[in-house]
Amino acid sequence: MELNDRKIKILKAIVSSYIHEGEAIGSRTISKKYDLGISSATVRNEMSDLEELGFLVQPHTSAGRVPTDKAYRLYVDKIIRNSSMNKYNEQIKKILQGEIDEMEKFIRNSARILSQFTKYTSFVMTPQLKESKLKRIQLVPISENKLLMVIVTENNLVKNVILNMKIPVPEDQMNRISNLLTQKLEGRQLKSLDKDLYNHISKEIYSIRESFDDKFDDVFMLLLNTMKQYEKVDVYYDGLTNILNYPEYSNTEKAKELLSFMEDKKSMASVLMDETGEDLAVSIGNENKYDEIKQCSVVSATYKLNGMIIGKIGLIGPTRMDYKNVISMVKALSLNVNRLIEENYIDIARSDTDEQKRKG
Amino acid sequence: MELNDRKIKILKAIVSSYIHEGEAIGSRTISKKYDLGISSATVRNEMSDLEELGFLVQPHTSAGRVPTDKAYRLYVDKIIRNSSMNKYNEQIKKILQGEIDEMEKFIRNSARILSQFTKYTSFVMTPQLKESKLKRIQLVPISENKLLMVIVTENNLVKNVILNMKIPVPEDQMNRISNLLTQKLEGRQLKSLDKDLYNHISKEIYSIRESFDDKFDDVFMLLLNTMKQYEKVDVYYDGLTNILNYPEYSNTEKAKELLSFMEDKKSMASVLMDETGEDLAVSIGNENKYDEIKQCSVVSATYKLNGMIIGKIGLIGPTRMDYKNVISMVKALSLNVNRLIEENYIDIARSDTDEQKRKG
DNA sequence: GTTAGCACTCTGCCCGGATGAGTGCTAAGC
DNA sequence: GCTTAGCACTCATCCGGGCAGAGTGCTAAC
C-alpha cells in the first residue's frame, strides 16, 4: 500500500485536529470540517488503510482514531522544512534585549518566554563548561585565613570559590600564585585539570626553584576540587504547571510520574545530552529513551559560545503537541539567544579587533 | 463551655488520627482505638461540644469530624514546646557535613534533605543581602575591553559581573580604582549604594584631586546597576511532586492552583518575608495571607549569618501535616545549618582570633 | 454524667438501561 | 474500480435507583 497524496492530506487533517482538540477524531468530522470533497465512507476506508500502515490507532472500537508517534514524525518532518519564525521573531527580539547582564539569568528569562508563549513547560540545560578553556585565575584576599579564587574561562564565564587557608597568605604571595597558575593553566580545558596535570606542573616548578611558595600546592588542590563541580549539569524549568493543563495529565498519577521524572535533573540532563548535536531536535514519544517520557515530545535547540555547544533550551509536552507553533517558536528564540550571546559574551578583543588593527 | 482535660485528649486523638489517615474520624473509632475508657456515646457528646467550640467540623451529616485550623493551632502550640529533635539530629549532621563548599549549594542540599525525610515539599528562600555590608571590591582584567568586578560582602558572599568598557583599562588603573572603591565603600550596606551616595563620594574625590581616573565614574555606575540585582529574592524548591501524593491534591485543579502559586516565586517570597522573624514559624491554613495556600501549612526556619537573618528554609504541605515530625525535623535541620554556616562562612579572623591573640 | 439503643441522614458504589459517536461491511451508483 | 449511502454492531459515557455502611443525634435507662 502506498501513502498517496490523499492519505497524507487526511493524515495531516487528523493530526492537526487531534493536536488542537485532544480527542480521537472520526471519519464524519474529517469529511465535514476539512473540505477534501470526499464522503465519510471514503475517509473511513482511507483511515483504515492509514491504521494498517501504522499511522493511526483506535483507542477502542467505537472511538475515532488517534495519530501514532509515526504520524507525528511524518508531520514534524514536513513542518520543520518550511517552518517560518517571522511570527515571533520581532517580539522575541524586543523582550530579550536588555536582559543580558548575566548569562544564567538571561538564559532563564529565555526559558520563561518560551513557556509563556507556548503554554508548555520549558527547560534549560545550563552551561556545560568542561570543554572550555581557562583564561585567568585570580586570588583575592578576603580575611586573614580566607581568600577568594576567581576563575575566568575564555568565554568570560566566571566561577568563584572561597578557600579556607590554614595559614594566612600575604597579598604579594597571593599575586605570585595567581600569576603562576594563570601562566601555567591558561588555554587548558577545564576537564584537563586533574592529578596528572598537577603532578606534571609541580615537578616543572620545583625543578626550576628548589623551594617555592608553600601555599601553591594547597591552592592548586582546591582548584582541582572546584573543577569537579563543573561536571555537574543543571537543568532549570519554567512553566512546570502548564503540564497540568493538558487532559493527558489530568490524572494525578500520570502528572506525578512526569513531574517526578523532570525533578530528577540527572535523568533529564541525560535525555538532552544523548541527542545528536543538531541545532533543532525533536524527539517524539517512543523515540525518547526513558519510559516516563515516552508519552511526551521534547523540542530542543542548542545554544553556543564560540561555536561550541554549551547548553540546550527547549520545551517538553505531550506528544499531541502543537509542533508547528512550538518549532517556529523554539527556532526563533534560539536564533536570537545565540545572536545575543555572540554579541555579549564572546571575546572580540582577542580574535577580531587585534586582527583588524594589524590590517588597518 | 470549657476546654477541659478530656476534651483536649479527644481533640488530640482526632487531630493525630486525621493527620495520619486523612479521613474524617467518628466517635466509635476514637473510643475503640484510643483507650480513653469512655464509650462512643460520650465521645459523641464531647465531639459535639468541640464542634461548637470551633475545633471540629463535619464535612456532611453522616461523616465523622475533621479538625479545623484552630485545632491544628492548639495542637502545634502544644507540640512546639516539647518537641525534641534527637531523632534526626545525628543523621542530619552526618549528611550535611562535607557539602559546605558553596553556600547556595549547601542550602539547597539542606532543602533536599528536608523534602526527602518528610515527604513534603521543601523550599529555600536564598540570601537576601541588602542589609549586609561591603568588604571589598576587586577588578580583574579579562580582555581588552572587558573586566570582571568581584564584590565581596562582610559575610564572604561573592557576586561578580562582567563589565564592558568602551575604552581599555590598563591593569594599574584597575587596581587604583579597586582600592579606591574598597576604601570608600567598605562597611557600607549594599542597599545604601545609590545615586546620592555616588554624588557624595564623587564630590569628595574630585575635591581632593582635580582630575582622577576617567573610568572611575563608569565603574561606579555599573556597580550601582549590579546592586539592583541584590534586591531580587529567589525561592527554590525540592520535592515539588510530593504534593501530589496527598489526597488533598489528587484533584488536578487543586494541585495546579498550589503549584502555580509556588512557581510564582514573588508571591512565595512575600509569604515568607511577611512572617515575624522568629527562628521557627508555623503558619496554618487560614493564617496564610494568600487564598491559594489557605489549605496549606508552612513551617519555616531562619538561617543567619553574623546574627542577621539571610534566608529561610522550610516545608509546605496540606494543613493536615505531620506537625510533630515536621517541626522536629525543621528544628534539627536549621540548627545544623546555622552551626555550619557559623563554622564556615563567618569571618573568625576578625572578631575572635584577634581577641584571643591579644588575650593569649 | 455515662451509656445502650434506635431512627435518621448522607455518601459511595454497583448496576442496568439509554444515548451517541464511530466503525466495518455491503450493495448500489457513477 | 472508486465512491457513497445505508445499516447493524460495538463500546464508552451518562444517568438514576437501590443498597450498604458509617456516623450522628436523641432518648431513655443506669
Side-chain angles (χ1 to χ4, degrees):
Chain A
M1 207 179 329
E2 283 274 313
L3 199 58
N4 61 28
D5 221 47
R6 192 170 69 184
K7 281 196 176 57
I8 291 182
K9 258 187 198 156
I10 292 175
L11 187 58
K12 205 170 161 186
I14 294 174
V15 170
S16 168
S17 162
Y18 190 65
I19 281 175
H20 294 104
E21 312 299 334
E23 278 169 14
I25 188 166
S27 52
R28 217 177 108 82
T29 320
I30 293 284
S31 92
K32 265 171 68 185
K33 282 205 183 162
Y34 302 78
D35 50 37
L36 303 168
I38 44 179
S39 77
S40 68
T42 311
V43 174
R44 213 143 49 230
N45 290 329
E46 295 287 41
M47 281 170 87
S48 181
D49 289 354
L50 285 167
E51 182 166 1
E52 215 172 306
L53 287 165
F55 291 105
L56 299 175
V57 279
Q58 276 183 291
H60 56 264
T61 329
S62 73
R65 282 179 172 93
V66 163
T68 61
D69 292 350
K70 192 176 168 188
Y72 290 127
R73 171 50 64 199
L74 192 76
Y75 183 75
V76 166
D77 287 347
K78 287 220 181 287
I79 283 176
I80 284 187
R81 255 178 247 148
N82 43 10
S83 80
S84 80
M85 18 157 249
N86 302 341
K87 202 170 146 198
Y88 298 116
N89 209 13
E90 284 307 312
Q91 285 180 72
I92 292 176
K93 223 180 209 169
K94 266 186 204 154
I95 303 174
L96 280 181
Q97 204 77 42
E99 305 247 18
I100 40 180
D101 274 1
E102 206 184 333
M103 179 82 162
E104 197 164 318
K105 275 193 188 164
F106 164 63
I107 296 289
R108 287 188 178 197
N109 271 326
S110 310
R112 176 164 315 125
I113 293 175
L114 265 189
S115 74
Q116 280 175 356
F117 271 51
T118 61
K119 304 289 178 203
Y120 293 100
T121 301
S122 64
F123 58 80
V124 168
M125 190 171 66
T126 50
Q128 216 188 314
L129 294 175
K130 281 188 290 186
E131 313 267 325
S132 50
K133 293 175 182 169
L134 256 176
K135 181 194 274 178
R136 191 186 171 96
I137 290 174
Q138 175 81 46
L139 299 173
V140 179
I142 290 186
S143 69
E144 205 170 318
N145 288 310
K146 295 191 187 211
L147 48 93
L148 178 72
M149 180 163 62
V150 181
I151 302 157
V152 186
T153 72
E154 278 201 338
N155 308 321
N156 296 338
L157 294 166
V158 181
K159 178 94 189 155
N160 47 46
V161 220
I162 291 179
L163 309 181
N164 288 301
M165 307 300 292
K166 279 171 203 137
I167 308 160
V169 183
E171 199 156 339
D172 59 327
Q173 188 180 10
M174 226 177 262
N175 283 332
R176 277 208 310 282
I177 296 178
S178 299
N179 290 334
L180 188 67
L181 277 173
T182 303
Q183 183 195 322
K184 290 289 170 196
L185 299 177
E186 192 185 351
R188 283 185 197 274
Q189 289 189 333
L190 298 192
K191 67 175 178 188
S192 77
L193 303 188
D194 56 14
K195 271 232 146 140
D196 286 348
L197 183 67
Y198 167 71
N199 290 332
H200 177 72
I201 289 178
S202 286
K203 221 183 246 172
E204 200 180 306
I205 289 171
Y206 290 109
S207 71
I208 295 168
R209 343 185 184 179
E210 194 124 314
S211 112
F212 188 67
D213 292 310
D214 52 331
K215 310 299 180 330
F216 180 78
D217 278 14
D218 296 347
V219 174
F220 205 150
M221 286 311 287
L222 288 165
L223 176 63
L224 290 185
N225 269 332
T226 308
M227 285 308 110
K228 277 183 200 154
Q229 294 186 10
Y230 274 99
E231 282 163 31
K232 282 189 195 161
V233 183
D234 202 10
V235 178
Y236 170 88
Y237 297 99
D238 201 285
L240 265 181
T241 50
N242 284 348
I243 283 169
L244 301 173
N245 287 329
Y246 297 97
E248 283 86 341
Y249 296 98
S250 63
N251 173 341
T252 319
E253 277 310 306
K254 291 261 173 203
K256 202 194 135 114
E257 194 189 28
L258 177 55
L259 287 171
S260 300
F261 179 81
M262 292 202 281
E263 208 177 7
D264 177 11
K265 299 180 171 183
K266 266 184 232 151
S267 328
M268 193 62 191
S270 114
V271 167
L272 296 170
M273 311 261 278
D274 267 20
E275 288 170 353
T276 58
E278 283 181 64
D279 282 353
L280 188 82
V282 182
S283 161
I284 299 169
N286 274 302
E287 297 170 8
N288 288 302
K289 183 165 111 183
Y290 292 95
D291 287 346
E292 292 92 335
I293 54 168
K294 280 201 198 296
Q295 302 202 35
C296 290
S297 288
V298 180
V299 177
S300 71
T302 58
Y303 56 94
K304 300 179 184 176
L305 222 156
N306 279 334
M308 203 174 69
I309 297 176
I310 54 166
K312 298 203 175 188
I313 184 164
L315 291 161
I316 182 166
T319 45
R320 180 183 70 81
M321 185 184 248
D322 188 353
Y323 294 100
K324 205 170 172 181
N325 199 19
V326 161
I327 287 173
S328 33
M329 180 71 204
V330 171
K331 245 189 190 172
L333 187 96
S334 83
L335 225 75
N336 278 290
V337 165
N338 277 311
R339 184 176 51 78
L340 285 168
I341 292 180
E342 294 258 327
E343 285 172 18
N344 290 278
Y345 294 95
I346 288 193
D347 224 334
I348 313 164
R350 277 209 177 177
S351 45
D352 269 351
T353 46
D354 285 6
E355 281 291 313
Q356 281 166 12
K357 272 182 204 160
R358 255 172 259 149
K359 280 179 193 163
Chain B
M1 205 180 328
E2 284 274 313
L3 199 59
N4 62 28
D5 222 48
R6 192 171 68 186
K7 281 196 175 59
I8 291 181
K9 257 187 196 152
I10 292 176
L11 187 58
K12 205 170 160 185
I14 294 175
V15 170
S16 169
S17 162
Y18 189 65
I19 281 175
H20 294 104
E21 312 299 333
E23 278 169 15
I25 187 165
S27 52
R28 217 176 108 81
T29 321
I30 294 284
S31 94
K32 265 171 68 186
K33 283 205 183 163
Y34 302 79
D35 50 37
L36 303 168
I38 45 179
S39 78
S40 67
T42 313
V43 175
R44 213 142 50 229
N45 291 328
E46 295 287 40
M47 281 170 85
S48 181
D49 289 354
L50 285 168
E51 182 166 0
E52 215 173 305
L53 288 164
F55 291 106
L56 297 176
V57 279
Q58 275 183 291
H60 57 263
T61 329
S62 74
R65 282 178 172 94
V66 164
T68 61
D69 293 350
K70 192 175 169 187
Y72 290 128
R73 170 51 63 198
L74 192 78
Y75 183 76
V76 166
D77 287 347
K78 288 220 180 287
I79 282 175
I80 284 188
R81 255 177 246 149
N82 43 10
S83 80
S84 81
M85 18 156 250
N86 302 341
K87 201 171 147 197
Y88 298 116
N89 208 13
E90 283 308 311
Q91 285 179 72
I92 292 175
K93 224 181 211 168
K94 266 185 205 154
I95 303 175
L96 280 182
Q97 206 76 42
E99 305 247 18
I100 39 180
D101 275 0
E102 205 185 333
M103 180 84 162
E104 196 164 318
K105 275 194 188 164
F106 164 63
I107 296 289
R108 287 187 178 197
N109 271 326
S110 310
R112 177 164 314 126
I113 295 174
L114 265 188
S115 73
Q116 279 175 358
F117 271 51
T118 62
K119 304 289 177 204
Y120 294 100
T121 301
S122 64
F123 59 80
V124 168
M125 190 172 67
T126 50
Q128 216 188 315
L129 294 176
K130 281 189 290 185
E131 313 267 324
S132 50
K133 292 175 183 168
L134 256 175
K135 181 194 273 177
R136 189 183 173 101
I137 290 175
Q138 175 82 46
L139 298 174
V140 179
I142 290 185
S143 68
E144 205 168 319
N145 289 309
K146 296 192 187 211
L147 48 92
L148 177 73
M149 180 163 62
V150 181
I151 303 158
V152 186
T153 73
E154 278 202 340
N155 308 321
N156 295 339
L157 295 166
V158 182
K159 178 93 189 155
N160 46 46
V161 221
I162 291 179
L163 309 181
N164 288 302
M165 307 300 291
K166 280 173 202 136
I167 308 159
V169 184
E171 200 156 341
D172 60 328
Q173 188 181 11
M174 226 177 262
N175 282 332
R176 276 208 311 281
I177 296 178
S178 300
N179 289 335
L180 188 66
L181 277 173
T182 303
Q183 184 195 322
K184 290 290 169 196
L185 300 177
E186 193 185 352
R188 283 184 198 276
Q189 290 189 334
L190 297 193
K191 67 175 175 186
S192 76
L193 302 189
D194 55 14
K195 270 233 145 142
D196 286 347
L197 182 68
Y198 167 69
N199 290 332
H200 177 73
I201 289 179
S202 285
K203 222 184 247 173
E204 201 180 305
I205 289 172
Y206 289 109
S207 71
I208 297 169
R209 344 185 183 179
E210 195 126 316
S211 111
F212 188 66
D213 291 309
D214 52 331
K215 310 297 180 331
F216 180 77
D217 279 13
D218 295 348
V219 174
F220 205 151
M221 286 312 287
L222 288 164
L223 176 62
L224 290 186
N225 270 331
T226 309
M227 285 308 110
K228 279 184 199 154
Q229 295 186 9
Y230 274 99
E231 283 163 29
K232 282 191 195 160
V233 183
D234 202 11
V235 178
Y236 169 88
Y237 298 99
D238 201 285
L240 265 182
T241 49
N242 284 348
I243 283 169
L244 301 173
N245 287 329
Y246 297 96
E248 283 85 341
Y249 296 99
S250 61
N251 172 340
T252 319
E253 277 310 307
K254 290 259 173 204
K256 202 195 136 119
E257 193 189 30
L258 177 55
L259 288 171
S260 299
F261 178 81
M262 292 202 281
E263 207 177 7
D264 176 12
K265 299 179 170 181
K266 266 183 233 155
S267 328
M268 192 62 191
S270 113
V271 167
L272 296 170
M273 310 262 279
D274 267 21
E275 288 170 352
T276 60
E278 282 182 65
D279 282 353
L280 189 82
V282 182
S283 160
I284 299 169
N286 275 300
E287 296 169 9
N288 287 304
K289 182 166 110 185
Y290 292 95
D291 287 346
E292 291 91 336
I293 54 168
K294 280 201 198 297
Q295 302 203 35
C296 290
S297 288
V298 180
V299 177
S300 71
T302 58
Y303 55 95
K304 299 179 186 178
L305 222 157
N306 279 335
M308 202 174 70
I309 297 174
I310 53 165
K312 298 204 173 186
I313 184 165
L315 290 162
I316 183 167
T319 45
R320 180 184 70 80
M321 184 184 248
D322 188 354
Y323 294 101
K324 205 170 172 178
N325 200 19
V326 160
I327 287 172
S328 33
M329 181 70 204
V330 171
K331 245 188 189 173
L333 186 96
S334 83
L335 225 75
N336 278 291
V337 164
N338 277 311
R339 185 176 50 77
L340 285 168
I341 291 181
E342 295 256 328
E343 285 172 18
N344 290 279
Y345 294 95
I346 289 194
D347 225 334
I348 314 164
R350 278 207 179 178
S351 46
D352 268 351
T353 46
D354 285 5
E355 283 290 322
Q356 282 166 9
K357 272 181 204 161
R358 256 172 259 149
K359 279 177 193 163

